[in-house]
Amino acid sequence: GNKDEKSSGGGGGNSDEIKVGLNLELSGPVASYGSGISKGAKLAIDEINKAGGIDGKKIVPVEIDNKSDAAEATAAAIKLATQEKAVAQIGSATSGDTVAAVQIANKNKMPVIGPSATSETVTVNEKGEVNEYAFRTCFIDPFQGQVAAQFALDTLKAKNVAIFSDSASDYAKGLAKAFKDTIEKNGGKVVAQESYVAKDTDFKSTLTRLKSKKPDFIYIPGYYEEVGLIIKQARAAGIDVPLMGGDGWDSPKMVELAGKDALNKTYFTNHYSSEDPDEKIQKFVKAFKAANSDQAPDAFNALGYDTVYWLKDAIERAGSTDGEKVKDALASTKDLSLVTGKFSVDDKHNTVKSATVLEFKDGKQVFNSKVNP
Amino acid sequence: MLKVNSIDVFYGNIQALKGVSLEVNEGEIVTLIGANGAGKSTLLKTLSGLLKPKKGTIEYLGQSIAGKPAQSIVKAGISHVPEGRRVFANMTVEDNLDLGAYLRSDRAEIAKDKERVFNIFPILLERRKQLSGTLSGGEQQMLAMGRAIMAKPKLLLLDEPSMGLAPIMVKTIFNTIEEIRKEGTTILLVEQNAHMALSIADRAYVIETGKVVLSGTAKELQETEQVKAAYLGGL
Amino acid sequence: MEWLQQLINGISLGSIYALIALGYTMVYGIIKLINFAHGDVFMIGAFIGFFAIARWGLGFFPALILAMVVCAILGVLIERIAYKRLRNATRIAALITAIGVSLLIEYTTIFFRGAQPEAYPDVIPNKSFHFLGAQISMQSIMILSVSIVLMIILQFIVHKTKIGKAMRAVSYDEEAARLMGINVDNTISITFAIGSALAGAAGVIFGIYYTKIDPLMGIIPGVKAFVAAVLGGIGIIPGAVAGGMVLGVVETVVSALGFSLWRDAAAFVILILILIFRPSGIFGKNTREKV
Amino acid sequence: MSNLLLKVEDVGIHFGGLKAVSDLNMEMYQGELIGLIGPNGAGKTTSFNMLTGVYKPTEGVITFDGKKMNNMSPHQVTKSGVSRTFQNIRLFKELSVLDNVKVANHSLAHHSVFSSILRLPSHFSGEAKMERESIEFLKIFGLDKYMHELAKNLPYGMQRRLEIARALAAKPKLLLLDEPAAGMNPQETHDLMELIALIREKFDLTILLIEHDMGLVMGICERIYVLDHGQLIAHGSPEEIRHNPKVIEAYLGEEVAE
Amino acid sequence: MKKSKVFWIYVAIALVVYAVVQFMISSGNFDMYYSNLFITIAINVILAVSLHLVIGITGQFSIGHAGFLAVGAYVSAIFTTNLGWPFPIALLMGAIAAAIAGLIVGIPTLRLKGDYLAIATLGFAEIIRIIFLNIDYVGGAAGMQVDYLTTWTYAFFVALITVVVISNFTNSRHGRACIAVREDEVAADSMGINTTYYKVLAFAIGSFFAGLAGGLFSHNFFIIQPSQFGFLKSFDILIYVVLGGLGSLSGSIIAAILLTVISLYLQDFPETRMIIYSLVLIIVMLYRPAGLMGTKEVTDLFKFGKKSKGGNVNE
Ligand SMILES: Nc1ncnc2c1ncn2[C@@H]1O[C@H](COP(=O)(O)OP(=O)(O)OP(=O)(O)O)[C@@H](O)[C@H]1O
Ligand SMILES: Nc1ncnc2c1ncn2[C@@H]1O[C@H](COP(=O)(O)OP(=O)(O)OP(=O)(O)O)[C@@H](O)[C@H]1O
Ligand SMILES: [Mg+2]
Ligand SMILES: [Mg+2]
């Protein structure tokens, strides 16, 4: 034990445990994302603790439900920083709820890692300054959009593309924007751009409208909960062009929602593939299934899991649970290889990692190609 | 037929009836008179099962009915025409009458009774498809009584059937009450219009602030000074 | 052609709203309670149907019946435990309790199975055929017919049967109803049973039609169905179907014009406009209070 | 005769298909006490509702004190000097007896929302005046001892009285009473008659009264209008009305008339 | 006269509470966690009291209060964050905007009754939310980052002003007119009260203060998003008012404080917090259907003899 460590901001009262805050959406409209992260993170924490913890100290998760509400997320971050004295906060799932915690993090020197907060505004404020204590595990929105656009133009030879994105999510909006810019820069044409709102279930009218514009490719950034239904309804409405999306598509539920047949000729960019034979990935998939009544992990589970391991890596490299040192370690991460890929952190605290393009074939995710940033 | 033995009835903490006893014999018209808030309606509500007495007994045809639910009391043959008519305004006249016969299943008999009601109140036949809420006050009162007759009661409880009615209607209503009695129904009548009530009743009770203060034949009471002053004055 | 297709889209969306709104309006018509938990009973129905089909291998109809029965029981339990005591309390107290019950059902479900969605298996093959260049799926025809048939049955029950008359009597004057020999508690329970069974059926049909179900799925359709019921004139059975259709078509038209982000706003704008010109909804009788 | 206060010309209203009142013509002069009778559903209360702006007549003209009232809302009518009671008592049940009267006194006070929020002197003087005047009214009706009681807790007869007191607190020129004696026994009815006479003197009122109690109507009204099926079937002094065959047939019945 | 004295005693007690909390904060005894708790309580009290005026006093069943909260939150945030105006003025602008929104919503809808009014107000609140969702200037769905300017002092004094204004309004002829509208609209109209005017006025005042609460809210949480102002937020506010006791000002204050604290405490039980919360709600309503306080005020509890109720004060 490092008894000399006068934890300024971290460490907790008990020196042989490490308190990690989980500020997540466990109830409210995006509860399924928050609970997805929670499951992945807790699996990782269990594994680490079973393997002896970090430098012999056990990780103690302190989980707070922010009800999918930014105000509650702020309050939760305050509680983690001031009452619980957590070493770091994991969460939240959405960029908005993560942003809500960022200023608290800076003030209290408590690193915040948003596992799935893809918006650029999480780590960089309006004035363009880096939020020192803010990080994310996922890659940022523009990257995925670019990859998808290149794939559409080069591999699928698409010319007239359409975009159908989730307007209630800045994640989807970010992807859509990057996609559109890249398409237009490279001579493609966006013939239609439409939006839906998360939690919708009926997309037929907009799909009918999209169909009448005769695109030869449709980009659908969003989360699988809606995208699954969109794909199903699109195919039923007679839209048979290739469809593509981002990591929000990754879930075993996708196949159940959309149906095997509808998914043929659909592609998405992802952090990793759960079908990837890679040993690390398969080990994770197996462990996750064992812990969650045989459910296969989705992207949220994987990101939650990785976030904990990343934090562990940073604490170990920092050799301390001091907030400032952990932050520096996080910021200097280089070529760390985890389930969702190998990544480094750049000077804007963006996580630079490769993206994988996957294709659905008869309900199976099949590796198509890998794109480096 | 009906024997009420010193019942106490409360609304929350407020005691509305204090040891009230009375009797109604088969074939009689018994009237209950008393000022506003004396507890007349409360008594009728207790008899028909809308309220439960805290103390005392109610015996009807030899059986105790105190505290039984309203539907079993209706089934036993007591029908209550509540104060203020309370017809189902958004339903037709005929639906209202059908509801009166809710617990019965003898279709043929029901049809006959409906005929009878239409005989007593021809206006209802004319209006059978009209929503009862659009009837005039007097017509609603007739409907309320008709509805009660449809239950084929042995004992009919009437709560201020003449309230708010035109003089000519009041007459019609009282004539009808006598008619109903002739056809074999016993009647317990609550009235403000003591003059009219006493003129058709056999016996009467005077109730004041929850207690029976006087009783006797209608004739006797009509002669009593106390009644004259308080309930027959004016005219 | 595109517009015909859009109209068909609107009607099939509207039938779903109508289906949920029927149960809403039924309960409201009798006890004047905005039963906010209705959307959650709908959700439970969807899950029962899911488990019946996907886990226990039942067919569509047995699953539907099972969901309806379970929901009917749930509805009666909710009424007996949470609403009965409040029958004579203010309407708003009952509304708050209904909100409480709604939250309780949602989060108890999440507690036991998590918040993640579930995908309905395909039990009814979704063939579709073409009509004047537009595409009509068998499922949407089924939903439309179910809504209309149920509407007719309900209308018949409420207006022509004895129990229906009892329901209306209770709704108008509970005490007078008791004087007719009507068992008020049972009548209200039956109302809840029917309304909740309808919600259960709607849940299963929704699941089959849209595939995805989750513990919070009842919130939005619940509110929309409430809007539909009010649009049509709350408490009026054909009004629920009409309101559902209007809502479905309006939403579809707005999306078809490319304003999908304003879709919900447009639905509420229509609601408010209709209420301003017809303060009791499309079929509601504009009864002025008789003074 | 003194000056014409109320003039009702060819007024009518229908609800959907139902013609509740048609071709109603009435005149009332300052200081009169007039009865309006007729069978149930004849349209008496409906006429009151038109006179007070609760219903808008579908035809005809109502002129009060030289002003046309057809399109006024109830509060405007009240401000121009007509006030009423209701057939089925409509007190503010959860308000105290005193506050019920103060509400009617509302439009006679002038302190603004701002003065009340900021508690300016005008608020205090305004409220004090309202309180004084309201208590005054309660005293006349013998209700001052119930001042702080909730209206719903008053006995029925007192509630009827309070309704009249409340109507008076708006300082009307014309007072409309809808079945004030309903549900009262002869003794109470008698007291009520005296009360009506008293307030009429004291406030220089003109009164229009609906009542089914013929003792009361015949006893105090100077003239009587009779409605049947929405139409005026007779008009005249109590004596004339008592012997009018149409009225006897439609309303009184044989005995009362004899 | 006595009653107004009692009222000022309560104001004095409130000031003492303010001073103590302020001392604890500035001396560092209360960290951010506590100051945030107290600010949140103050905001919720403002919301509860402002809705109390609409529902409890005027009897207008509005379930869209979050819409006005949103207007105040966004407008004030635009003034501070985008235009750089001083916070107090921005707060006022937000409140005025919300009051105007209240007028726009109130004038057409307040002639509706009961449940129809309820759904119309809910609809308007949703429309307001969707408008913000579609305006890119305020960040759309992603939300708008807002400067952290709300302090305990601001929150407390705005809450105090709200309570004083609404209590003064209620205990005057204007408040009485509103209560008369609640009790019987037809009778109130016939007694010379311009019922439309008072309904709209109460609605506008309620919206004004909801707008103030919105300004404090947005500047307390770094970011505002349209999703924070959905109908569930409106229900939260409604619950304060009903749970406290319809028509009871102090009841709505007590309920707002209680539920804020309970809600915060329940954060420690993420899996069961909503279950517990909903059970609390149901049980309180079942056993106290008229709310915790009924129509009584705290001031009534310290009184001897009978006094009038329904928000009435005799100065
Ligand atoms: N629901 C109730 N809650 C509380 N008290 C009540 C209730 N109903 C009646 N009371 C009280 O009980 C007493 C008796 O009332 P009841 O209605 O029986 O009188 P009544 O003789 O029928 O008078 P009326 O001639 O006015 O009809 C009255 O003091 C009344 O105020
Ligand atoms: N708001 C309304 N909607 C429909 N019909 C109405 C309305 N108000 C009154 N009526 C109808 O108008 C007619 C006259 O009713 P009104 O209440 O004026 O009668 P009334 O003469 O006062 O009778 P009563 O002596 O019974 O009080 C009745 O047939 C009544 O049903
Ligand atoms: Mg009575
Ligand atoms: Mg009348």
Side-chain angles (χ1 to χ4, degrees):
Chain A
N2 302 334
K3 285 269 157 64
D4 51 359
E5 185 182 289
K6 264 203 143 188
S7 56
S8 69
N14 193 340
S15 60
D16 46 61
E17 55 184 41
I18 297 175
K19 269 195 186 173
V20 174
L22 299 174
N23 180 352
L24 293 170
E25 294 82 347
L26 301 174
S27 61
V30 293
S32 62
Y33 311 155
S35 8
I37 290 173
S38 167
K39 277 186 193 155
K42 282 184 183 156
L43 174 65
I45 291 170
D46 278 351
E47 286 177 5
I48 293 168
N49 285 345
K50 275 207 195 97
I54 303 173
D55 291 340
K57 294 187 216 167
K58 292 251 182 298
I59 303 179
V60 179
V62 181
E63 189 167 50
I64 301 185
D65 173 18
N66 61 35
K67 288 179 156 174
S68 312
D69 179 309
E72 298 268 348
T74 311
I78 291 173
K79 181 161 189 201
L80 289 174
T82 60
Q83 301 303 109
E84 301 291 348
K85 312 241 181 272
V87 174
Q89 169 187 312
I90 292 177
S92 304
T94 66
S95 298
D97 295 340
T98 312
V99 169
V102 164
Q103 296 200 37
I104 310 286
N106 289 342
K107 238 181 220 131
N108 293 288
K109 298 190 194 303
M110 170 184 75
V112 163
I113 315 175
S116 54
T118 51
S119 165
E120 291 180 276
T121 58
V122 171
T123 51
V124 181
N125 69 17
E126 302 129 329
K127 296 173 199 106
E129 300 154 356
V130 174
N131 285 321
E132 274 193 274
Y133 283 82
F135 300 89
R136 64 165 68 76
T137 319
C138 47
F139 36 52
I140 52 168
D141 302 331
F143 176 59
Q144 279 195 86
Q146 286 159 18
V147 171
Q150 289 299 347
F151 185 79
L153 293 171
D154 302 344
T155 314
L156 300 174
K157 310 289 179 218
K159 294 198 174 59
N160 296 317
V161 306
I163 302 172
F164 190 25
S165 63
D166 177 357
S167 73
S169 129
D170 34 337
Y171 153 72
K173 277 170 127 175
L175 261 62
K177 186 171 180 302
F179 175 82
K180 188 176 179 204
D181 292 349
T182 314
I183 289 282
E184 284 172 349
K185 216 166 41 207
N186 294 294
K189 195 169 154 213
V190 177
V191 293
Q193 182 160 11
E194 296 288 338
S195 315
Y196 62 90
V197 185
K199 302 288 151 194
D200 279 358
T201 46
D202 195 306
F203 309 92
K204 296 195 188 73
S205 51
T206 313
L207 287 170
T208 305
R209 186 181 155 83
L210 276 176
K211 189 185 170 195
S212 70
K213 301 274 166 62
K214 301 196 170 32
D216 54 15
F217 173 94
I218 305 178
Y219 189 52
I220 315 178
Y223 295 110
Y224 67 91
E225 293 192 26
E226 286 86 21
V227 175
L229 305 189
I230 291 175
I231 292 175
K232 185 176 186 186
Q233 291 173 21
R235 295 302 192 216
I239 296 176
D240 44 21
V241 301
L243 310 174
M244 186 162 185
D247 56 333
W249 282 32
D250 179 35
S251 162
K253 282 271 174 317
M254 183 71 157
V255 186
E256 296 172 34
L257 288 171
K260 275 187 214 155
D261 298 338
L263 278 175
N264 285 331
K265 278 181 35 189
T266 65
Y267 309 85
F268 69 102
T269 47
N270 202 5
H271 313 270
Y272 84 114
S273 158
S274 61
E275 310 289 321
D276 194 325
D278 180 284
E279 190 193 341
K280 190 177 238 129
I281 293 175
Q282 284 316 312
K283 200 182 125 222
F284 161 67
V285 172
K286 212 171 128 209
F288 189 87
K289 279 185 168 170
N292 291 284
S293 48
D294 212 32
Q295 247 178 27
D298 63 13
F300 288 106
N301 301 139
L303 289 168
Y305 182 84
D306 275 4
T307 306
V308 173
Y309 274 101
W310 182 20
L311 183 63
K312 168 178 182 273
D313 170 74
I315 294 172
E316 282 169 352
R317 277 187 287 118
S320 144
T321 53
D322 176 69
E324 211 164 338
K325 288 185 186 145
V326 173
K327 169 209 69 169
D328 290 338
L330 284 167
S332 61
T333 302
K334 214 161 173 57
D335 293 332
L336 177 64
S337 193
L338 295 172
V339 168
T340 60
K342 195 192 243 185
F343 69 90
S344 309
V345 172
D346 72 7
D347 54 356
K348 288 202 164 135
H349 286 200
N350 290 330
T351 300
V352 183
K353 59 210 279 195
S354 59
T356 309
V357 176
L358 298 169
E359 179 182 358
F360 279 106
K361 278 203 176 127
D362 290 325
K364 290 257 174 321
Q365 294 181 5
V366 178
F367 177 83
N368 183 297
S369 53
K370 196 161 199 154
V371 184
N372 289 317
Chain B
M1 184 178 210
L2 179 75
K3 200 164 173 190
V4 178
N5 203 350
S6 58
I7 53 169
D8 286 359
V9 178
F10 289 76
Y11 291 103
N13 299 325
I14 309 163
Q15 184 165 11
L17 292 182
K18 300 162 192 156
V20 170
S21 301
L22 60 82
E23 265 176 55
V24 180
N25 301 316
E26 188 135 12
E28 271 188 322
I29 297 183
V30 173
T31 185
L32 207 58
I33 56 180
N36 277 296
K40 307 180 296 292
S41 302
T42 306
L43 178 60
L44 293 200
K45 284 187 192 169
T46 313
L47 295 179
S48 62
L50 294 179
L51 296 172
K52 287 193 172 85
K54 201 161 209 170
K55 251 174 57 191
T57 61
I58 305 173
E59 224 173 86
Y60 166 73
L61 294 176
Q63 295 211 312
S64 165
I65 55 163
K68 285 219 174 132
Q71 68 257 29
S72 57
I73 293 181
V74 176
K75 188 129 209 168
I78 298 183
S79 206
H80 179 179
V81 179
E83 196 170 10
R85 301 153 202 161
R86 311 278 283 269
V87 296
F88 301 110
N90 53 351
M91 298 168 85
T92 63
V93 168
E94 188 148 18
D95 280 347
N96 269 275
L97 292 178
D98 288 345
L99 278 170
Y102 184 77
L103 287 179
R104 296 171 59 187
S105 46
D106 43 344
R107 281 169 178 247
E109 285 295 305
I110 292 176
K112 240 190 243 159
D113 279 332
K114 212 187 264 177
E115 285 302 304
R116 191 172 139 226
V117 169
F118 287 144
N119 271 334
I120 305 174
F121 308 110
I123 187 89
L124 295 184
L125 181 62
E126 233 173 83
R127 305 293 177 88
R128 63 198 288 176
K129 296 286 169 218
Q130 191 175 330
L131 290 188
S132 61
T134 64
L135 294 177
S136 83
E139 290 157 4
Q140 288 186 5
Q141 187 63 56
M142 294 183 214
L143 177 58
M145 286 169 68
R147 194 174 62 178
I149 292 171
M150 289 301 289
K152 222 178 184 180
K154 300 189 183 90
L155 174 63
L156 184 60
L157 312 176
L158 293 172
D159 199 345
E160 301 203 29
S162 78
M163 183 155 121
L165 294 188
I168 194 169
M169 271 304 167
V170 175
K171 277 205 56 176
T172 317
I173 294 287
F174 277 98
N175 287 341
T176 314
I177 295 172
E178 290 192 288
E179 194 116 329
I180 295 172
R181 189 255 294 262
K182 266 192 218 130
E183 297 191 17
T185 309
T186 309
I187 289 167
L188 179 56
L189 170 68
V190 162
E191 256 305 328
Q192 283 281 345
N193 192 336
H195 191 71
M196 287 293 261
L198 289 175
S199 71
I200 65 163
D202 302 315
R203 290 192 303 113
Y205 292 84
V206 177
I207 181 165
E208 265 169 28
T209 55
K211 288 193 196 114
V212 173
V213 292
L214 267 181
S215 64
T217 65
K219 281 261 158 48
E220 281 167 16
L221 287 184
Q222 251 167 334
E223 304 300 317
T224 317
E225 281 310 312
Q226 196 184 338
V227 175
K228 269 189 183 162
Y231 304 106
L232 300 173
L235 272 176
Chain C
M1 174 222 122
E2 191 196 329
W3 284 102
L4 179 65
Q5 182 68 60
Q6 294 292 21
L7 187 67
I8 291 166
N9 293 343
I11 289 174
S12 50
L13 176 62
S15 344
I16 289 274
Y17 290 151
L19 202 55
I20 311 171
L22 277 174
Y24 238 116
T25 246
M26 171 101 188
V27 167
Y28 184 91
I30 310 304
I31 59 165
K32 303 283 174 288
L33 167 75
I34 302 176
N35 183 13
F36 256 101
H38 191 75
D40 302 293
V41 175
F42 158 83
M43 176 272 289
I44 296 288
F47 272 97
I48 300 285
F50 171 79
F51 284 118
I53 295 170
R55 303 278 155 85
W56 310 323
L58 268 59
F60 168 69
F61 279 106
L64 185 73
I65 303 289
L66 181 69
M68 289 174 77
V69 170
V70 173
C71 287
I73 295 169
L74 178 66
V76 172
L77 280 179
I78 292 172
E79 196 276 327
R80 286 279 154 123
I81 295 169
Y83 299 156
K84 192 174 164 194
R85 283 180 68 108
L86 292 170
R87 263 189 227 150
N88 297 319
T90 54
R91 305 267 306 282
I92 204 167
L95 175 75
I96 299 289
T97 312
I99 294 174
V101 171
S102 163
L103 292 174
L104 184 65
I105 297 177
E106 286 162 14
Y107 288 98
T108 311
T109 309
I110 291 182
F111 182 77
F112 284 112
R113 67 162 296 285
Q116 76 281 3
E118 212 67 71
Y120 247 73
D122 280 326
V123 274
I124 298 183
N126 193 17
K127 293 215 188 63
S128 55
F129 59 88
H130 290 264
F131 171 74
L132 295 178
Q135 207 182 20
I136 306 179
S137 79
M138 291 307 290
Q139 282 181 2
S140 43
I141 290 184
M142 173 192 82
I143 295 170
L144 181 63
S145 350
V146 168
S147 305
I148 290 175
V149 168
L150 283 178
M151 174 189 91
I152 294 169
I153 293 177
L154 279 188
Q155 186 75 350
F156 178 80
I157 291 179
V158 170
H159 287 274
K160 294 284 182 264
T161 65
K162 203 163 166 175
I163 182 73
K165 279 179 191 160
M167 285 173 182
R168 285 191 293 150
V170 169
S171 98
Y172 192 76
D173 186 335
E174 192 182 311
E175 198 173 79
R178 279 162 61 191
L179 292 178
M180 302 298 107
I182 294 168
N183 187 329
V184 170
D185 289 344
N186 286 354
T187 307
I188 291 178
S189 291
I190 292 171
T191 307
F192 264 89
I194 296 178
S196 305
L198 286 177
V204 176
I205 291 173
F206 183 96
I208 288 172
Y209 193 56
Y210 288 117
T211 312
K212 189 189 74 173
I213 60 169
D214 68 79
L216 298 179
M217 69 185 273
I219 300 176
I220 291 173
V223 170
K224 291 274 177 71
F226 178 35
V227 169
V230 173
L231 259 180
I234 191 157
I236 300 168
I237 289 164
V241 173
M245 292 297 167
V246 169
L247 196 64
V249 171
V250 166
E251 291 192 354
T252 305
V253 167
V254 171
S255 301
L257 291 171
F259 300 104
S260 55
L261 296 183
W262 294 93
R263 196 192 58 194
D264 288 356
F268 284 112
V269 168
I270 292 291
L271 170 79
I272 289 162
L273 284 179
I274 287 187
L275 287 186
I276 287 172
F277 293 106
R278 288 201 61 92
S280 328
I282 300 170
F283 286 172
K285 279 193 215 72
N286 207 352
T287 43
R288 251 185 300 180
E289 190 182 358
K290 189 171 181 289
V291 179
Chain D
M1 270 195 214
S2 52
N3 56 320
L4 184 64
L5 192 63
L6 176 76
K7 193 169 168 63
V8 178
E9 291 169 282
D10 302 325
V11 163
I13 186 169
H14 49 81
F15 300 106
L18 178 82
K19 258 193 169 312
V21 174
S22 49
D23 301 319
L24 181 66
N25 282 286
M26 276 169 42
E27 283 177 353
M28 287 192 75
Y29 292 87
Q30 178 79 47
E32 281 190 301
L33 203 173
I34 293 183
L36 179 60
I37 62 173
N40 299 103
K44 304 179 296 293
T45 301
T46 305
S47 303
F48 265 28
N49 285 337
M50 291 191 289
L51 290 178
T52 51
V54 174
Y55 294 165
K56 305 267 171 281
T58 35
E59 58 215 31
V61 182
I62 300 171
T63 322
F64 176 77
D65 216 5
K67 268 185 294 187
K68 191 177 162 204
M69 297 211 300
N70 284 44
N71 289 317
M72 286 191 183
S73 52
H75 66 269
Q76 290 166 324
V77 172
T78 308
K79 273 178 204 151
S80 14
V82 182
S83 130
R84 72 178 294 184
T85 65
F86 295 90
Q87 180 169 357
N88 42 346
I89 302 179
R90 301 186 80 129
L91 289 170
F92 306 118
K93 297 199 188 79
E94 299 287 331
L95 282 182
S96 70
V97 168
L98 178 61
D99 281 348
N100 264 277
V101 177
K102 277 190 188 170
V103 167
N105 199 258
H106 174 89
S107 46
L108 303 171
H110 298 288
H111 51 286
S112 67
V113 174
F114 274 99
S115 78
S116 287
I117 286 177
L118 301 176
R119 285 291 189 259
L120 302 179
S122 66
H123 162 84
F124 291 104
S125 60
E127 291 285 326
K129 181 160 163 275
M130 288 177 89
E131 175 137 349
R132 254 194 338 267
E133 288 184 355
S134 303
I135 292 175
E136 208 55 30
F137 279 109
L138 289 177
K139 279 192 179 137
I140 297 172
F141 285 79
L143 286 165
D144 49 328
K145 50 184 175 294
Y146 300 115
M147 199 151 78
H148 297 301
E149 204 59 64
L150 291 192
K152 66 172 182 190
N153 293 339
L154 284 192
Y156 179 86
M158 288 298 172
Q159 293 196 7
R160 281 256 172 233
R161 275 167 174 262
L162 175 57
E163 262 221 328
I164 301 175
R166 188 180 66 173
L168 275 183
K171 301 223 172 127
K173 295 188 194 114
L174 172 62
L175 178 65
L176 307 178
L177 301 173
D178 197 345
E179 298 197 29
M184 288 188 172
N185 62 34
Q187 183 58 48
E188 290 169 319
T189 307
H190 183 78
D191 295 348
L192 179 74
M193 275 166 75
E194 284 178 355
L195 183 74
I196 291 173
L198 173 85
I199 56 171
R200 179 189 177 197
E201 283 303 308
K202 193 168 162 89
F203 298 100
D204 191 20
L205 280 175
T206 311
I207 297 177
L208 179 61
L209 170 104
I210 298 177
E211 193 42 78
H212 287 305
D213 186 325
M214 285 306 106
L216 190 149
V217 175
M218 300 289 174
I220 61 171
C221 294
E222 286 140 16
R223 284 192 295 135
I224 297 173
Y225 286 93
V226 186
L227 275 178
D228 185 25
H229 287 100
Q231 304 223 314
L232 215 50
I233 57 164
H235 164 218
S237 70
E239 213 39 43
E240 286 162 2
I241 294 299
R242 201 194 290 272
H243 296 108
N244 184 319
K246 271 201 217 160
V247 180
I248 293 174
E249 199 207 316
Y251 182 67
L252 293 174
E254 296 301 332
E255 271 161 52
V256 189
E258 103 261 343
Chain E
M1 273 137 268
K2 262 188 200 152
K3 197 142 188 178
S4 78
K5 224 179 244 163
V6 175
F7 175 80
W8 289 113
I9 292 172
Y10 280 92
V11 171
I13 293 173
L15 286 170
V16 171
V17 171
Y18 162 74
V20 170
V21 173
Q22 182 58 31
F23 171 77
M24 296 296 272
I25 291 172
S26 46
S27 67
N29 280 317
F30 277 0
D31 56 29
M32 210 168 170
Y33 177 73
Y34 287 104
S35 70
N36 189 61
L37 169 65
F38 281 99
I39 292 171
T40 309
I41 286 176
I43 292 173
N44 288 341
V45 164
I46 300 169
L47 287 171
V49 170
S50 59
L51 188 61
H52 151 84
L53 176 64
V54 177
I55 298 187
I57 296 299
T58 320
Q60 301 305 304
F61 197 176
S62 162
I63 55 174
H65 216 50
F68 307 114
L69 175 73
V71 172
Y74 272 99
V75 172
S76 62
I78 290 169
F79 275 98
T80 54
T81 309
N82 295 8
L83 307 176
W85 288 35
F87 186 43
I89 297 177
L91 270 182
L92 195 63
M93 298 312 274
I96 290 171
I100 293 170
L103 288 177
I104 294 171
V105 175
I107 290 170
T109 51
L110 283 173
R111 58 194 214 98
L112 300 174
K113 300 225 153 39
D115 301 324
Y116 290 93
L117 174 63
I119 189 73
T121 50
L122 185 142
F124 261 114
E126 283 296 290
I127 292 171
I128 290 173
R129 189 177 67 78
I130 294 168
I131 290 174
F132 285 121
L133 191 65
N134 282 294
I135 298 179
D136 282 332
Y137 181 69
V138 294
M144 177 176 181
Q145 296 198 34
V146 185
D147 299 334
Y148 183 60
L149 297 171
T150 303
T151 61
W152 163 240
T153 303
Y154 275 118
F156 173 83
F157 281 102
V158 174
L160 184 67
I161 290 169
T162 309
V163 174
V164 170
V165 165
I166 286 180
S167 151
N168 281 353
F169 177 84
T170 307
N171 299 309
S172 73
R173 75 180 178 111
H174 309 287
R176 226 163 16 238
C178 290
I179 298 174
V181 170
R182 174 188 83 192
E183 289 293 305
D184 187 333
E185 203 174 324
V186 174
D189 206 347
S190 290
M191 290 305 121
I193 285 164
N194 187 342
T195 51
T196 313
Y197 171 78
Y198 277 105
K199 283 197 281 184
V200 172
L201 179 66
F203 208 66
I205 296 178
S207 309
F208 178 89
F209 286 108
L212 275 181
L216 295 170
F217 180 87
S218 58
H219 294 85
N220 189 41
F221 289 117
F222 309 102
I223 181 167
I224 46 172
Q225 292 173 308
S227 60
Q228 291 171 287
F229 306 102
F231 58 85
L232 292 174
K233 183 77 190 178
S234 295
F235 287 177
D236 281 346
I237 307 168
L238 180 67
I239 287 167
Y240 300 146
V241 177
V242 181
L243 212 65
L246 274 183
S248 169
L249 176 85
S250 40
S252 56
I253 297 175
I254 292 169
I257 297 174
L258 222 58
L259 287 179
T260 310
V261 173
I262 289 179
S263 188
L264 189 81
Y265 173 74
L266 287 178
Q267 271 190 345
D268 293 346
F269 309 93
E271 286 92 9
T272 48
R273 72 184 284 198
M274 291 305 288
I275 297 178
I276 297 171
Y277 182 79
S278 55
L279 282 175
V280 168
L281 211 64
I282 295 170
I283 290 167
V284 173
M285 288 326 292
L286 284 182
Y287 290 93
R288 288 206 71 108
L292 294 171
M293 296 291 294
T295 54
K296 290 200 177 61
E297 296 294 346
V298 171
T299 42
D300 294 338
L301 301 180
F302 301 94
K303 274 260 176 58
F304 301 98
K306 274 187 279 185
K307 263 273 166 177
S308 54
K309 291 164 196 112
N312 167 57
V313 177
N314 306 298
E315 258 103 349

